[in-house]
Amino acid sequence: MSILNPDMESMSSDERKALQSERLQATVKYEYANVPFYRERMDKHGVKPEDIRGIDDLNKLPFTDKNDLRDGFPFGLLAVPQQQIVRIQGSSGTSGHPIVTGYTENDIEVWTEMAARALAALGANSDSIVQVAYGYGLFTGGLGLHQAATRLGAMVIPMSGGNTQRQLMMMEELGTTILCCTPSYAIYLGEAARDMGILSQLKLKSGCFGGEPWTEKMRTELESLFGIDAMDIYGLSEIAGPGVSFECKMKDGLHINEDHIIAEVINPETGEILPYGESGELVMTTITKTGQPMIRYRTRDICMLNKEPCSCGRTTLRMSRLAGRTDDMLVIRGINVYPGQIESVLETVSGITPHYLIVADREASTDSLEVQIELTEDMFSDTISQIESLKNLIALQIKSVVGLQAEVKLVPPRSLPRSEGKSRRVIDKRRI
Amino acid sequence: MFVTQISIFLENVRGSLRNLTELLGESEVNLLALTIADTSGFGIVRIIVKGSDVENTLSVLHQAGYIAKTNKVVCVRVPHKPMGLAKVIAALDNAGISIEYSYSFYQKNFTDACIIIRPSEMEGSIIALEKAEINIVGQEEVDSFR
């Protein structure tokens, strides 16, 4: 559980501010000189590179968002000639058109260093056997953890996603000690291992789970299922893959690699910067990348930041677990609904494994909210009245947390769509 | 004194009962009694099988991914004639015990009918039924049914 780069991860706050300020100034000058998109954006915004003298001037800079990447697809935001790009990563994008990010050799190195810090924090070293069950491809999960584990000298099993039977066979027979995949797939693997009766043969010690928002309840489930430490990791292809931030053994927020990234949290409606401890949209600026550096990139992920030093010894800013995405936000009868809110309700009502689906629909011009929940053994009873009262309790809690009457529907176990990658939390059937 | 019942959660969609009964049939589980409680969204199927079949039935159900649980119910035998059941209900009511649900099954060798009852109080119901001289059927006797 070591700190891979104590010079960078545990530096004093003054040193860090000086380092970030120097790197931010350089990045802004570099972008202005090399990326017409940024030059025009900054000119339009009335800000020159020399106006940025340190991180306190960050808020003078305009935001960048997913639409800019979509409009500039594929190479509009590159700061270097295509010949210097050694890798393309990206995502399918929720609204159809893909977005891609070009990485130089330097950018791959930055990403690998960040992800290696994450794996080191959960105990990886040359003794480790790391099974990467994230997809390999444009999605950064697979290659990101692969590069990081290789950097640490661990033995990598590059399984990629899917093929559950073979995943478990390799896990058992090669003696995997660290599992890397999405948390929902990890639960799926654990349930399958339990059904096959091989859980006790596994040698897993820890898991590196990211790529989608998850909860403390899922952590407890994963840790007791596999008998491991389950840690969160965060990243996005536009900034770097997994490793942008990661949990240490304290499991109390994700340490942001601040020597490479500056993080802010803003009000998604107004763009105003929020104080530490307030929940809003995460905005990130890269300060060491050369291929496609991003300035004040709006991630659409909802979280809050914590400046308190961590007892692990790292001094970096920590971000909370993701509470959801601004994309996932549903507006139902004028009320904002985040999946994270529904999840917190399901967690407080004991005994519920958080497999659920939120369905928004519209009947006779009235919006409806349905929450489908997979029933567990603990929730089940031989009497209708007990099951109905549990449903009513959940509906009541949703009403008090969200402010909306929801139809709660109990469904059989494993009946909700569960992709082997990211799990789907929201379906919006409304035609607006 | 009590009889073991298995309750199974089913979604209220076409084919779900068929799948369940076929699964049990293919696993050589014979149902002594069955009742379905349904709401618009889901149903609970409650079954009685031989005591020696309970464990196997549960594991068949769990392996197939069903949510299923056992619980104790009371089984009584009443004369198969008018007022047979009414006496039982009255005995429980007099003792202030309410009934969550009840269902009956009939054995062709008997002149009596068998009634399954899920009372609000298990122990109390036995005392009340014994006091009213109602014939209580235990698991062993149920197991002898054919």
Side-chain angles (χ1 to χ4, degrees):
Chain A
M1 312 268 176
S2 62
I3 299 180
L4 188 67
N5 190 338
D7 285 351
M8 289 298 146
E9 297 181 74
S10 305
M11 65 183 6
S12 75
S13 110
D14 287 348
E15 282 176 301
R16 179 165 292 124
K17 190 170 175 181
L19 179 75
Q20 286 189 325
S21 292
E22 180 195 320
R23 289 181 170 180
L24 175 66
Q25 278 176 286
T27 294
V28 172
K29 278 199 189 91
Y30 177 81
E31 290 275 71
Y32 193 84
N34 294 297
V35 187
F37 163 82
Y38 273 111
R39 188 160 54 240
E40 282 160 32
R41 180 66 59 96
M42 284 171 62
D43 285 346
K44 211 172 142 191
H45 207 72
V47 56
K48 295 280 171 211
E50 47 274 23
D51 297 334
I52 308 303
R53 284 177 303 264
I55 54 168
D56 294 334
D57 295 323
L58 192 60
N59 63 359
K60 293 180 179 163
L61 291 163
F63 293 114
T64 319
D65 66 17
K66 211 161 231 171
N67 293 329
D68 297 322
L69 288 171
R70 209 163 275 143
D71 296 344
F73 180 86
F75 301 134
L77 270 70
L78 287 188
V80 295
Q82 178 263 314
Q83 287 76 8
Q84 287 181 39
I85 297 296
V86 299
R87 176 88 61 78
I88 286 294
Q89 301 281 172
S91 73
S92 52
T94 38
S95 36
H97 203 286
I99 56 166
V100 294
T101 297
Y103 288 65
T104 59
E105 227 175 311
N106 163 77
D107 300 341
I108 297 283
E109 170 56 34
V110 165
W111 172 21
T112 303
E113 158 79 16
M114 292 195 291
R117 290 178 192 173
L119 280 184
L122 57 79
N125 55 36
S126 57
D127 295 329
S128 306
I129 301 175
V130 178
Q131 183 158 340
V132 181
Y134 283 112
Y136 281 62
L138 279 180
F139 170 64
T140 50
L143 286 161
L145 272 312
H146 183 108
Q147 290 158 191
T150 304
R151 167 67 49 89
L152 296 174
M155 184 171 96
V156 182
I157 314 174
M159 293 300 294
S160 196
N163 205 339
T164 301
Q165 297 299 314
R166 186 180 294 176
Q167 296 274 4
L168 291 172
M169 194 261 273
M170 297 299 261
M171 200 182 289
E172 183 187 0
E173 299 193 359
L174 299 188
T176 301
T177 59
I178 296 175
L179 173 64
C180 305
C181 63
T182 59
S184 57
Y185 188 48
I187 288 180
Y188 186 88
L189 280 171
E191 285 171 351
R194 186 180 54 203
D195 292 350
M196 286 162 67
I198 59 164
L199 267 180
S200 61
Q201 273 95 278
L202 302 182
K203 297 194 173 57
L204 284 182
K205 291 196 182 82
S206 48
C208 181
F209 304 124
E212 63 190 11
W214 52 305
T215 62
E216 280 307 309
K217 177 101 190 160
M218 284 170 85
R219 190 203 307 272
T220 310
E221 193 177 341
L222 280 166
E223 294 194 335
S224 68
L225 199 57
F226 285 116
I228 57 170
D229 281 312
M231 325 277 238
D232 201 354
I233 187 167
Y234 173 78
L236 62 168
S237 61
E238 301 93 305
I239 300 295
V244 165
S245 67
F246 60 88
E247 278 184 327
C248 66
K249 63 182 173 183
M250 309 314 297
K251 299 174 193 166
D252 185 20
L254 292 86
H255 289 276
I256 298 168
N257 279 307
E258 286 190 282
D259 49 327
H260 296 294
I261 287 153
I262 301 174
E264 310 163 86
V265 160
I266 62 163
N267 176 330
E269 309 284 324
T270 62
E272 154 208 18
I273 299 175
L274 297 174
Y276 295 136
E278 274 188 38
S279 190
E281 181 178 355
L282 181 66
V283 172
M284 291 190 146
T285 300
T286 66
I287 48 176
T288 52
K289 286 179 71 181
T290 53
Q292 191 170 317
M294 302 302 293
I295 291 178
R296 300 195 86 196
Y297 181 69
R298 296 183 60 158
T299 64
R300 300 190 182 185
D301 287 319
I302 308 281
C303 72
M304 53 186 162
L305 297 176
N306 176 5
K307 183 112 184 113
E308 293 303 307
C310 179
S311 36
C312 73
R314 290 175 187 82
T315 53
T316 44
L317 201 55
R318 280 173 287 164
M319 56 185 260
S320 65
R321 283 174 169 285
L322 299 185
R325 290 183 60 79
T326 55
D327 301 331
D328 280 344
M329 187 182 81
L330 286 164
V331 183
I332 296 176
R333 286 177 239 151
I335 294 174
N336 295 353
V337 182
Y338 294 107
Q341 295 174 305
I342 304 288
E343 212 150 298
S344 72
V345 166
L346 297 184
E347 281 198 19
T348 54
V349 180
S350 65
I352 297 173
T353 0
H355 283 302
Y356 68 91
L357 183 66
I358 301 167
V359 183
D361 208 344
R362 175 168 291 183
E363 285 162 33
S365 78
T366 301
D367 290 349
S368 65
L369 173 66
E370 181 177 89
V371 181
Q372 300 181 0
I373 303 159
E374 281 188 12
L375 193 78
T376 65
E377 205 98 335
D378 291 339
M379 294 160 67
F380 183 55
S381 151
D382 64 312
T383 66
I384 298 270
S385 58
Q386 276 192 36
I387 299 181
E388 290 288 349
S389 68
L390 180 77
K391 273 177 57 172
N392 293 340
L393 177 67
I394 295 170
L396 202 72
Q397 299 254 20
I398 291 175
K399 173 105 174 121
S400 76
V401 171
V402 181
L404 275 173
Q405 190 67 46
E407 184 66 37
V408 174
K409 189 179 174 199
L410 300 174
V411 299
R414 301 189 206 185
S415 63
L416 292 179
R418 203 166 311 182
S419 66
E420 295 196 345
K422 300 188 180 199
S423 58
R424 199 166 179 199
R425 306 287 196 207
V426 176
I427 291 180
D428 196 341
K429 292 180 174 170
R430 296 172 293 181
R431 299 274 174 273
I432 301 175
Chain B
M1 197 185 309
F2 300 120
V3 171
T4 301
Q5 170 189 266
I6 302 174
S7 305
I8 305 143
F9 177 85
L10 278 192
E11 204 174 11
N12 202 349
V13 295
R14 183 176 171 171
S16 60
L17 186 60
R18 176 181 180 167
N19 292 340
L20 173 68
T21 50
E22 283 180 354
L23 172 75
L24 293 174
E26 281 156 13
S27 313
E28 300 291 322
V29 173
N30 191 30
L31 303 179
L32 301 178
L34 171 143
T35 182
I36 303 170
D38 68 299
T39 69
S40 58
F42 66 92
I44 301 173
V45 174
R46 308 179 184 114
I47 59 172
I48 305 285
V49 298
K50 281 194 178 200
S52 56
D53 279 349
V54 168
E55 208 168 305
N56 179 45
T57 307
L58 262 186
S59 94
V60 164
L61 290 167
H62 285 155
Q63 267 170 29
Y66 285 97
I67 293 276
K69 256 185 184 172
T70 59
N71 68 292
K72 300 290 180 197
V73 288
V74 175
C75 182
V76 296
R77 189 201 280 200
V78 297
H80 204 336
K81 61 182 190 192
M83 285 305 279
L85 178 60
K87 260 184 73 183
V88 176
I89 308 298
L92 292 173
D93 187 40
N94 288 341
I97 293 169
S98 51
I99 295 172
E100 295 276 359
Y101 55 81
S102 172
Y103 55 103
S104 62
F105 61 107
Y106 173 68
Q107 296 297 317
K108 71 177 177 187
N109 314 11
F110 298 155
T111 52
D112 294 345
C114 282
I115 312 288
I116 299 280
I117 296 167
R118 166 73 146 84
S120 56
E121 288 169 52
M122 299 299 288
E123 303 294 336
S125 69
I126 296 293
I127 295 165
L129 292 168
E130 277 173 347
K131 207 169 121 194
E133 295 179 340
I134 307 281
N135 198 345
I136 298 169
V137 178
Q139 185 75 47
E140 271 177 35
E141 192 176 342
V142 167
D143 288 354
S144 71
F145 291 167
R146 282 187 297 121

